[in-house]
Amino acid sequence: MWNFGFNPGPPHFPLPIKELSNVKEEVYGALDTYVAWELEFPLVTVKKVLKTLQHEKEWKRIIQVTKWMLSKGQGKTMGSYFTLLNALAKDDRLDEAEELWTKLLMRYTESLPRKFFDKMISIYRRRSMHDKMFEVFADMEELSVKPSISVVSTVGNVFKELGMMDKYEKLHRKYPPPKWEYRFIKGKRVKIKVQGQSNYVDKYIRKHDNVEPDSGLRDDDSSEENSELTDDEQFEQDADVTHMEPEQIFYESSESTEPSLDV
């Protein structure tokens, strides 16, 4: 633990944050003490802490550290907001996750990366909240955000389960399986032709350990178990949206304002 006695000095990294209680004031106080010794906010160090906590699945700590960082006016990136959204969902704090999602959607309406939509659809799917899942998909269509393969499959499966075969057929007519998939192989982006089923590339990944998904081009890993911290550079790629056909599966109008993202 840190020494606050006769030999004052800066706390050492890594922070003993896991030894603290879940009391917000104690965690914030420890973090405030750490940054008090820094001339500039140690953003890189804090993000390393977040990645370590994410690897260890310390969702409560991720929420506390991220909220503290944002309260300092630091790290306000799409990566940080996604980290917080994912942790809130993992910690089963659905109300807070929905509140954050709503603020992000209203403020960054036309520039919100696709991965956020994928995450919310995954959250609602796991909880069988089908109406809300359809609302998110409707928002995607209204904003001309091209859905990932996994989202099309997820929404289609729910249509089948609910006996909504007309919408199921309409969905797959509009979003047929792609002919090409993009992957990173040994650090290089590679275009792979899909053969047969749309899960061909997933089978390829299981066969080749050195293949990693390109989150900016294909977000098939949108389930909560597979969600990982994503670098800000990847979010820049993921922010690209593709315009679709005028016809939509859903359409719901909504007024948008720009609220403050106080989390």
Side-chain angles (χ1 to χ4, degrees), residues 46-62:
V46 173
K47 287 195 172 185
K48 287 181 179 179
V49 171
L50 286 171
K51 285 193 175 184
T52 299
L53 293 172
Q54 193 271 345
H55 180 72
E56 297 175 356
K57 299 182 179 181
E58 293 283 346
W59 310 119
K60 291 184 184 297
R61 284 290 185 257
I62 291 174

Side-chain angles (χ1 to χ4, degrees), residues 86-258:
N86 181 59
L88 289 170
K90 293 284 191 179
D91 201 40
D92 204 26
R93 292 160 70 166
L94 182 59
D95 290 343
E96 291 183 62
E98 288 183 314
E99 182 181 1
L100 175 61
W101 158 253
T102 300
K103 289 180 178 180
L104 289 168
L105 182 61
M106 295 177 71
R107 183 165 185 177
Y108 304 103
T109 303
E110 297 183 357
S111 60
L112 192 63
R114 183 177 67 181
K115 201 172 186 72
F116 286 86
F117 294 90
D118 288 5
K119 170 55 64 175
M120 291 307 300
I121 286 177
S122 172
I123 291 172
Y124 289 139
R125 170 57 168 158
R126 288 176 58 81
R127 292 163 176 77
S128 298
M129 301 172 70
H130 299 148
D131 288 342
K132 290 194 173 183
M133 185 188 76
F134 292 152
E135 289 178 6
V136 176
F137 190 77
D139 288 334
M140 293 183 72
E141 292 205 302
E142 186 174 352
L143 295 172
S144 297
V145 179
K146 185 176 181 180
S148 63
I149 300 171
S150 63
V151 164
V152 173
S153 176
T154 297
V155 175
N157 288 339
V158 174
F159 281 153
K160 288 183 67 176
E161 292 173 8
L162 300 178
M164 304 167 68
M165 297 308 298
D166 56 335
K167 290 188 178 293
Y168 173 83
E169 294 172 359
K170 186 177 180 180
L171 176 72
H172 286 281
R173 282 198 306 269
K174 183 174 181 181
Y175 308 109
K179 295 180 180 180
W180 298 92
E181 302 286 358
Y182 292 87
R183 278 296 192 258
F184 275 124
I185 300 179
K186 295 183 178 179
K188 295 183 179 180
R189 187 180 300 170
V190 178
K191 191 176 183 180
I192 303 175
K193 188 173 184 179
V194 177
Q195 299 179 2
Q197 300 298 323
S198 61
N199 62 353
Y200 168 76
V201 177
D202 295 323
K203 295 179 181 179
Y204 185 89
I205 292 174
R206 289 194 292 268
K207 185 178 179 181
H208 299 78
D209 294 335
N210 60 345
V211 181
E212 297 180 356
D214 177 359
S215 65
L217 294 172
R218 178 177 179 269
D219 290 327
D220 280 5
D221 58 340
S222 59
S223 65
E224 289 189 62
E225 290 82 355
N226 295 328
S227 296
E228 298 180 355
L229 287 177
T230 307
D231 294 333
D232 296 338
E233 291 81 4
Q234 290 176 305
F235 274 91
E236 291 294 332
Q237 296 177 3
D238 199 34
D240 295 333
V241 297
T242 303
H243 291 281
M244 304 177 189
E245 304 169 11
E247 182 184 14
Q248 298 179 355
I249 308 300
F250 295 99
Y251 177 80
E252 293 199 12
S253 61
S254 61
E255 297 180 358
S256 65
T257 58
E258 186 171 297

